[in-house]
Amino acid sequence: MAGSNEINLSECKRIVPLNTWILISNFKLSYNLLRRPDGTFNRDLAEFLERKVPANTIPVDGVFSFDIVEKSTNLLNRVYRSAPENEAQWGIIELEKPLSTEVVVPVIVFFHGGSFTHSSANSAIYDTFCRRLVKLCKVVVVSVNYRRSPEHRYPCAYDDSWSALKWVSSRPWLQSGKESNVHIYLAGDSSGGNIAHHVAVRAAKSGLKVLGNILLHPMFGGQKRTESEKRLDGKYFVTLQDRDWYWRAYLPEEENRDHPACNIFGPRGESLEGLDFPKSLVVVAGFDLIQDWQLAYVEGLGRAGHDVKLLYLKQATIGFYFLPNNDHFYTLMEEIKKFVNSNCL
Amino acid sequence: MLYLLLKADRKTMKREHQETANHPLTGGGGGGGGEGCSSRSKTWKEDQGDGGMDELLEGLGYKVKSSDMADVAQKLEQLEMAIGTFQEGQISHLFCETVHYNPSDIYGWVDSMLSELNPSQTFDPNGSFYPIRNSILGQQPSMNSSARNSLIYDDNSEYDLSVIPGFALKMPSEWTFDLQREGTSKRMKHDAPQISTSPVNSAAKLRSLPEATRPLLMVDSEEAGVRLVHILMACAEAVQNEDLKLADALVMQIRLLAVSQAGAMRKVAIYFAEAIARRIHKIYPQQSSIDSFYSDTLQMHFYETCPYLQFAHFTANHAILEAFSDAPRVHVIDFSMSLGMQWPALMQALALRPGGPPAFRLTGIGPPQPDNTDALEQVGWKLAQLAGTIGVEFHYRGFVCDSLADLEPSMLDIRPSAMETLAVNSICELHRLLARQGAIDKVLSNLKVMKPKIVTIVEQEAKHNGPVFLDRFNEALHYYSTLFDSLDGCWLTQSNSQDLAMSEVYLGRQICNVVACEGPERVERHETLAQWRERMESSGFDPVHLGSNAFKQASMLLDIFSGGDGYRVEENNGCLMLGWHSRPLIATSAWRIASR
């Protein structure tokens, strides 16, 4: 057993750059310390270990950020924008004017990953990712600090994120274009991708216009064990056992993975036919063990008559987008840029 | 030369990625060969950041030397193998008593866990590695994880530094106390010229200064208040440009507009407007001896209202207790004695020490008092009474001085370290020294003469000492807005509104000093943890890291404070910070003399 473990580790190291390997292995290791078999979570140690960064109104590499606490939910949203051309304007937050009256500026509402349990909007990995999104895709990003499991189970993450979406859509200073609308896209990685889907459903039912969904190896699952799960279990940083733990921590107690939050097009999934659901960009990493569920999701969306594009990155592991040291990162950014700017011509 | 070439190559490659839609390796839908990907990663030489750190990881909060990368990877693999034999569910138990330190240093962190699993392994003296201490008394870690029957994790700390609500005022016991007061017969006059910049650190700079960051946290009900912020900033700019007429006019506008605001923004605007008005008309608040008594009172109200000072005391005490370990005689020199609110909790913890309390000597330093009242002596008496009731041998001495730089180590009766363990404590005091040329350097070199086992420093996490007025103003505006926001939550639940009102006055006085004053009068010269770290390290001090146990207990402390579930403790390279939501506001660090 130890021998095959060794092979896996070395193989994994060949697939990703060394610093990415160190980064994700470090997460894996620390996360293993935090999850307890009885389903509880060592939140204090998790917060101690997490690397966080403050917002910064002084632009770094052309992007600045600031935090706003939503009074009604006491939750934080971090806003990322391109720095104004005029240096004299740096550090001054403009909340009295829209983003632009001429051009459309897409606003991506971003839900960070962490399997519903880890990370925050001000985690260094996500702060950095959102900054890169702004810079490379020419968007504004609002990152949502939703409440996490196991302390706050389903549907807290969806409720908080829906609340944030409504808040974003009602900010005059996030409007753009000649018609003064907030041009919204939803995006998320892992659990954030799952959240993006469910929030998009709520938005569609409520008549709130979402222009597109970007799901970055979204977290889906089901009771059945798929082929990819069996084949890739424990091979590239992620194990089935940890996936199971996170679902048990998020879903209502006594529930299983066929719960509609988890298994979108499963036996208990709700039909999306006829719903004004946004177009989707679904990114699947070739070494992600839950890819069969993600591919099933793509198929399901297609069958329900919705526009979906699959970006399958064969040699990618989870978290490939945390560091800009591989092709997949740049491919991803290109695709996102095309996806959010295709409407705005 | 070769390195620079590789760097340029990477940038060119990046640009190409951005420009071409179909990358030769991945095409439109991925599917590049594994080999292609890995060979590319080999040719991409990562940029070397400061101190040879991997720049990309540094951006994510991790400090790994580029030269250590392979070693770190190997250690991670080793650790993986070592714990691989355990069931996944048992891993959390394997390290359940471990105290973690400085997670940014992946090398040290992984190494410490490897050593925990295999105690025969020697520690690496090179990295910023700290031996695992599972309890403050340095007991051996329990390796017998199978002894743990219950699946439920039970976290008891040896030291429960819960806040003691007040002094126990009883008749003095049979314990003798030693009370002396050093007179102020020698007031040292300072002929330092008027300066408005922070004195340059004469020691060689080892690292470049931290990047400019200005965090902003606002509450969405204050969106309308942003206009007020703009006018305040414009007003400060007018002052910076010496257009005092314009500044005056803007102050009037601010006052008018502030009336229509609610909550924190209104109060903050009014304090800042007043401070600017004072600056313009040169009506500086008088620094009199009455001030210090009033300051102490205000500080006490602030202490009661919100957790910042309690966090400061708690975390500093934690570090002091760890440093004291089981020393039989200990001495604390408190640069920030004030009403002595930090010490009952420490004394209580010492009293509960397994093996019995040490003999505890406390030297309190404070500013001159009005009317010959000796506040320091009175505080000493109260603490002596408490010591009596809890059975701690206690000696106290108070020193009055205008400036910490006036103190000489010889005045303080420092005993040899073999006989008595010394801790020096400073809560929001050191920044005052930055107002006079050479003062901080003098105090730091005095510290080295005193040879403390530990120096605990708490400071406001803010950049209020830059050379440019406008920058200081903007930083202060953001900082105090966040502070007032955190107090705002208290209005809903706090029954004692006087505490809140006094807290606001306390903060208002700081604002006034930062904005209106200059030269030696401007004492609220707050600097960030990064700046203090730089200063301490280049003055010959090494960090003593605060760990996950201190973090956890500090977090628990916050639960006591109602009306504020926005408080957050954060770990930062071995130090702890307390903030409101995502904005750190106060930072605790601990130091010892460098072993070089």
Side-chain angles (χ1 to χ4, degrees), chain B residues 300-585:
Chain B
M300 188 185 65
H301 288 289
F302 182 71
Y303 181 89
E304 296 293 327
T305 310
C306 47
Y308 304 105
L309 289 181
Q310 299 205 29
F311 168 84
H313 294 171
F314 186 89
T315 46
N317 283 348
H318 200 284
I320 292 171
L321 275 168
E322 279 203 8
F324 281 173
S325 176
D326 48 8
R329 309 196 72 84
V330 302
H331 181 198
V332 172
I333 298 176
D334 188 3
F335 282 173
S336 39
M337 190 64 186
S338 182
L339 297 173
M341 294 178 289
Q342 183 170 350
W343 307 117
L346 183 79
M347 289 159 65
Q348 195 85 350
L350 288 174
L352 293 173
R353 205 170 71 168
F360 178 56
R361 202 152 69 91
L362 178 63
T363 302
I365 319 284
Q369 296 292 319
D371 309 337
N372 290 326
T373 56
D374 196 339
L376 277 179
E377 188 173 318
Q378 288 175 11
V379 170
W381 273 101
K382 288 200 184 132
L383 289 173
Q385 282 165 350
L386 172 67
T389 61
I390 59 175
V392 175
E393 187 189 326
F394 178 71
H395 301 264
Y396 176 80
R397 205 163 173 188
F399 275 91
V400 175
C401 61
D402 282 318
S403 166
L404 292 172
D406 297 344
L407 287 174
E408 296 296 330
S410 52
M411 297 172 182
L412 299 170
D413 188 16
I414 314 282
R415 308 211 179 133
S417 43
M419 288 183 51
E420 190 177 64
T421 307
L422 174 66
V424 177
N425 180 75
S426 169
I427 310 287
C428 301
E429 267 303 316
L430 289 187
H431 60 257
R432 296 171 168 268
L433 295 167
L434 303 176
R436 285 175 207 267
Q437 189 81 263
I440 184 68
D441 290 331
K442 173 141 192 273
V443 169
L444 292 182
S445 60
N446 280 350
L447 275 182
K448 290 200 286 195
V449 169
M450 286 152 62
K451 294 192 177 30
K453 178 120 186 268
I454 194 159
V455 180
T456 46
I457 297 177
V458 180
E459 284 289 328
Q460 289 94 329
E461 179 66 8
K463 290 204 193 77
H464 296 159
N465 196 26
V468 179
F469 168 75
L470 184 56
D471 290 340
R472 287 203 308 271
F473 182 90
N474 289 338
E475 293 279 348
L477 188 55
H478 286 55
Y479 181 80
Y480 287 102
S481 294
T482 305
L483 255 183
F484 271 80
D485 270 336
S486 73
L487 289 184
D488 216 25
C490 299
W491 277 111
L492 302 171
T493 51
Q494 191 70 266
S495 50
N496 189 350
S497 54
Q498 197 203 10
D499 269 339
L500 264 167
M502 292 289 107
S503 301
E504 289 172 6
V505 173
Y506 172 76
L507 294 176
R509 280 154 59 88
Q510 286 181 13
I511 292 170
C512 198
N513 188 275
V514 176
V515 173
C517 299
E518 283 300 345
E521 295 294 313
R522 178 160 60 87
V523 292
E524 299 296 350
R525 295 180 179 252
H526 311 140
E527 291 192 349
T528 60
L529 178 60
Q531 290 171 293
W532 282 107
R533 197 181 267 135
E534 161 87 28
R535 179 177 284 117
M536 293 302 284
E537 283 176 0
S538 48
S539 299
F541 291 88
D542 278 342
V544 176
H545 292 163
L546 288 149
S548 52
N549 51 354
F551 182 97
K552 179 178 171 140
Q553 289 171 11
S555 303
M556 279 160 51
L557 174 75
L558 300 179
D559 294 338
I560 301 172
F561 283 88
S562 50
D565 58 351
Y567 293 112
R568 298 276 182 276
V569 183
E570 263 183 46
E571 192 280 345
N572 182 317
N573 293 292
C575 305
L576 294 185
M577 307 199 289
L578 175 63
W580 179 245
H581 286 283
S582 56
R583 165 79 209 242
L585 293 167

Side-chain angles (χ1 to χ4, degrees), chain A residues 13-64:
Chain A
K13 266 167 86 179
R14 271 202 294 276
I15 300 297
V16 297
L18 190 56
N19 42 16
T20 304
W21 189 89
I22 288 174
L23 178 74
I24 302 186
S25 299
N26 188 55
F27 281 137
K28 181 174 102 174
L29 172 67
S30 56
Y31 291 178
N32 282 343
L33 300 181
L34 304 171
R35 296 189 302 270
R36 300 197 198 104
D38 64 354
T40 60
F41 185 72
N42 192 345
R43 182 60 67 189
D44 285 314
L45 184 56
E47 291 296 296
F48 174 81
L49 293 175
E50 206 173 290
R51 310 291 82 206
K52 299 192 187 196
V53 295
N56 193 358
T57 53
I58 297 174
V60 175
D61 206 12
V63 181
F64 72 93

Side-chain angles (χ1 to χ4, degrees), chain A residues 158-209:
Chain A
Y158 302 152
D159 290 343
D160 292 349
S161 302
W162 170 233
S163 171
L165 172 56
K166 284 188 289 187
W167 182 86
V168 165
S169 69
S170 59
R171 299 302 102 189
W173 47 272
L174 286 175
Q175 289 171 348
S176 62
K178 297 199 165 69
E179 272 123 62
S180 296
N181 290 323
V182 185
H183 293 83
I184 296 175
Y185 292 82
L186 302 180
D189 66 316
S190 171
S191 53
N194 176 296
I195 292 172
H197 166 81
H198 289 285
V199 170
V201 171
R202 281 203 210 185
K205 288 179 179 167
S206 314
L208 197 157
K209 185 72 184 151

Side-chain angles (χ1 to χ4, degrees), chain A residues 317-333:
Chain A
T317 62
I318 52 114
F320 68 87
Y321 45 87
F322 285 138
L323 294 178
N325 57 4
N326 59 88
D327 298 325
H328 304 305
F329 173 88
Y330 294 101
T331 305
L332 172 69
M333 290 299 173

